[in-house]
Amino acid sequence: MESTQKKSSPRPVNKGDRIKQIFALVSMVGFGGSAIFGMVSLFGSGLSSQHQQKSAPVAVSQESLLAAQERGYETVLQREPQNQTALEGLANVRLQMNNGKGAIEPLEKLVKLNPARSDYKALLAQAKGK
């Protein structure tokens, strides 16, 4: 008696199925690689930014900020000696720096340009110590 059993042999792989398998494998490897690369980049940049923050200067002093503002106003006044905004800013900065003598000149110009402004006159009197 001959047996009519079919031999179980692997099904021949279609060329289209093989291409799909290769494409799926390449896609998974690409996705996994990009995810890993993204995580490494993220953690690496986080560590380097923490390192940079520790080595950065803590704070800029108030005096250096006022000195920078003073230089800025002086630069504007070299180009525009009658600029009232720069004159007022320079006077205020110098008063904040406790430089009353330095505030006298811009305040005198402001009083001359605006004789009706009593606040300029009061600041000028204060700077002169009257």
Side-chain angles (χ1 to χ4, degrees):
M1 284 191 162
E2 287 185 34
S3 126
T4 57
Q5 293 177 349
K6 292 184 178 177
K7 292 183 179 179
S8 61
S9 64
R11 186 179 130 225
V13 179
N14 238 352
K15 186 176 184 179
D17 289 340
R18 188 71 168 157
I19 291 174
K20 288 179 185 176
Q21 289 174 347
I22 292 171
F23 182 73
L25 180 64
V26 168
S27 297
M28 288 188 288
V29 169
F31 177 76
S34 65
I36 290 171
F37 179 74
M39 283 190 233
V40 167
S41 175
L42 177 68
F43 289 124
S45 67
L47 291 174
S48 67
S49 69
Q50 288 177 354
H51 178 68
Q52 290 173 354
Q53 288 175 354
K54 289 179 182 176
S55 63
V58 177
V60 178
S61 69
Q62 181 71 16
E63 293 86 20
S64 64
L65 289 174
L66 291 173
Q69 288 177 348
E70 181 182 29
R71 285 189 304 272
Y73 289 128
E74 288 171 345
T75 303
V76 171
L77 290 170
Q78 287 174 355
R79 288 179 280 145
E80 304 171 43
Q82 304 300 317
N83 186 319
Q84 293 183 26
T85 304
L87 286 168
E88 185 174 343
L90 181 61
N92 285 329
V93 166
R94 287 183 175 169
L95 288 173
Q96 288 178 10
M97 296 171 71
N98 295 322
N99 183 2
K101 290 181 182 180
I104 292 173
E105 181 186 349
L107 286 170
E108 286 176 340
K109 287 182 182 179
L110 283 170
V111 169
K112 190 181 278 187
L113 292 170
N114 301 293
R117 297 274 307 258
S118 60
D119 56 336
Y120 291 153
K121 291 177 184 177
L123 283 174
L124 179 60
Q126 178 187 350
K128 288 183 175 180
K130 292 181 181 178

